[in-house]
Amino acid sequence: MKILLTLLAVVTLLATGCATAQVSKTPTDKDMAAYLLVYFKDQDHSLYFALSSDGYSFTDVNDGKPIMNGADLAEQKGIRDPHIARGPDNAFYLSMTDLNIFGKRMGYRTTEWQRPADKYDWGNNRALVLMKSTNLVDWTHTDLRVDKAFPGLKDVGCVWAPETIYDAEKGKMMIYFTMRLGRGKTKLYYSYTDDAFTKLETYPELLFKYPNPEIQILDADITKVGDKFHMFYKAQESGGGIKQAVSDYINRGYVYDAATVAPDKPGCEAPNLWKRNGENKWVLMYDVYGLHPSNMGFSETTDFKTFTKLGYFNDGVMKATNFSSPKHGAVISLTADEAKRLADHWGLKKY
């Protein structure tokens, strides 16, 4: 199997200053001609890429096999919750949860969790996987232990579902994630990264305060639409589903809205919003873990008030041509050249 991430590639990127290298101008919506879906699977806790030319039919670049093995990337020998974003430097920022929920079953540890559940609860990971690339082929790699980065977080209970977005006000990439302290409730936090995307430069601060402090919230996804920031997230309460909060600011001021925008009867989480190229249409994608087998669900909106359900992969207009059971994914737009370079690297002829 081809290995996308190689030691030579990492050393070369670091030596040549990948983070500060000169890159082409960031493309605009009219330049976009394809889509990239990043996702993982429970079976192996590894990373997958899929391409689409129309935003409806997606094809895995490696014929349904991982492009990076989670065991090679993470302290817990598995990754979850991959997210990809384009920065103002036209580089790609890939972030993932360092967690293998089947670590004992897969022989990576002798206990159910890395630390005692009675003290740190379900999952209880402490690291995030951060990667950066200018070409979607060669990547830098950092496995960041958040508890070691800040003394005040030595008893962190979990750090999940990291995502990045450029904060123009700060001139920095903002990373935000779900975090729990000890056995407390999961909440949403944000920090800022260095330009090389190897560390957190600021102590994590609360991103959004839920009205009911007894309800856990997780899996935030922020997108700037016009002059507003739309944050979708999961609230673990009766009725489930995905909620939306809107703000004038990227890291504060999100207004609570009780409405559920993705009211799937099966349980769902991990919302991700992406725009259809050249159209005033936005797709809200989410992980429908309540289906067996699990699948991705899709809704579409033009006004962020009415969401039209599109169904699931291969059960509606959205198609997965050569893969199944994707989990917690994210989609970004690519130019034709970017998509072709990635496809050529993996020998993908049609997408």
Side-chain angles (χ1 to χ4, degrees), residues 40 45 70 73-83 94-101 122-130 143 158-163 177-178 219 328:
F40 86 101
H45 282 67
L73 300 175
E75 178 185 67
Q76 290 203 26
K77 306 299 182 184
I79 61 90
R80 299 177 69 84
D81 319 326
H83 178 266
L94 181 63
S95 55
M96 297 170 276
T97 305
D98 180 328
L99 172 64
N100 192 325
I101 68 171
W122 192 96
N124 70 52
N125 74 312
R126 292 169 286 187
L128 300 175
V129 177
L130 307 179
D143 194 38
C158 73
V159 191
W160 296 336
E163 296 199 6
F177 42 84
T178 303
D219 296 350
H328 201 127

Side-chain angles (χ1 to χ4, degrees), residues 3-14 18 49 68 91-92 131-141 341-342 345-346:
I3 300 297
L4 182 60
L5 175 68
T6 66
L7 180 60
L8 176 61
V10 172
V11 171
T12 301
L13 286 166
L14 292 175
C18 169
F49 280 3
M68 298 186 204
F92 300 95
M131 307 182 71
K132 184 176 179 178
S133 174
T134 58
N135 59 11
L136 295 171
V137 172
D138 304 306
W139 296 85
T140 62
H141 171 248
R341 180 169 60 236
L342 183 60
H345 177 79
W346 289 101

Side-chain angles (χ1 to χ4, degrees), residues 111-251:
T111 56
E112 182 181 12
W113 304 117
Q114 195 177 53
R115 297 175 293 164
D118 60 351
K119 186 173 182 181
Y120 297 105
D121 213 334
W122 192 96
N124 70 52
N125 74 312
R126 292 169 286 187
L128 300 175
V129 177
L130 307 179
M131 307 182 71
K132 184 176 179 178
S133 174
T134 58
N135 59 11
L136 295 171
V137 172
D138 304 306
W139 296 85
T140 62
H141 171 248
T142 299
D143 194 38
L144 175 69
R145 279 281 296 268
V146 175
D147 61 323
K148 293 182 177 180
F150 303 101
L153 297 178
K154 64 182 180 66
D155 285 325
V156 64
C158 73
V159 191
W160 296 336
E163 296 199 6
T164 54
I165 185 173
Y166 179 65
D167 184 342
E169 184 178 290
K170 295 283 188 181
K172 305 286 290 182
M173 291 299 290
M174 186 180 98
I175 187 167
Y176 53 100
F177 42 84
T178 303
M179 187 165 67
R180 179 179 65 232
L181 302 178
R183 283 185 58 90
K185 303 296 184 183
T186 57
K187 299 177 182 180
L188 304 176
Y189 294 82
Y190 74 95
S191 178
Y192 290 93
T193 75
D194 64 329
D195 291 341
F197 204 48
T198 61
K199 62 183 179 181
L200 305 185
E201 293 190 331
T202 62
Y203 193 91
E205 297 183 48
L206 198 65
L207 176 64
F208 173 60
K209 187 175 182 180
Y210 201 70
N212 185 346
E214 297 304 310
I215 298 299
Q216 296 201 124
I217 56 174
L218 62 156
D219 296 350
D221 179 84
I222 299 172
T223 305
K224 188 176 184 182
V225 182
D227 59 356
K228 301 287 186 181
F229 293 92
H230 291 252
M231 180 175 72
F232 294 88
Y233 65 98
K234 167 68 179 286
Q236 290 187 328
E237 60 188 355
S238 178
I242 307 299
K243 294 185 182 299
Q244 177 183 199
V246 182
S247 176
D248 293 328
Y249 306 96
I250 197 171
N251 61 6

Side-chain angles (χ1 to χ4, degrees), residues 20 30 39 46 53 56 61 81 103 108 167 207 233-235 240 265 269 312 315 341:
T20 56
K30 64 181 179 61
Y39 67 96
S46 291
S53 59
Y56 290 93
V61 302
D81 319 326
Y108 294 129
D167 184 342
L207 176 64
Y233 65 98
K234 167 68 179 286
K265 288 184 178 180
E269 60 186 5
Y312 312 108
D315 184 10
R341 180 169 60 236

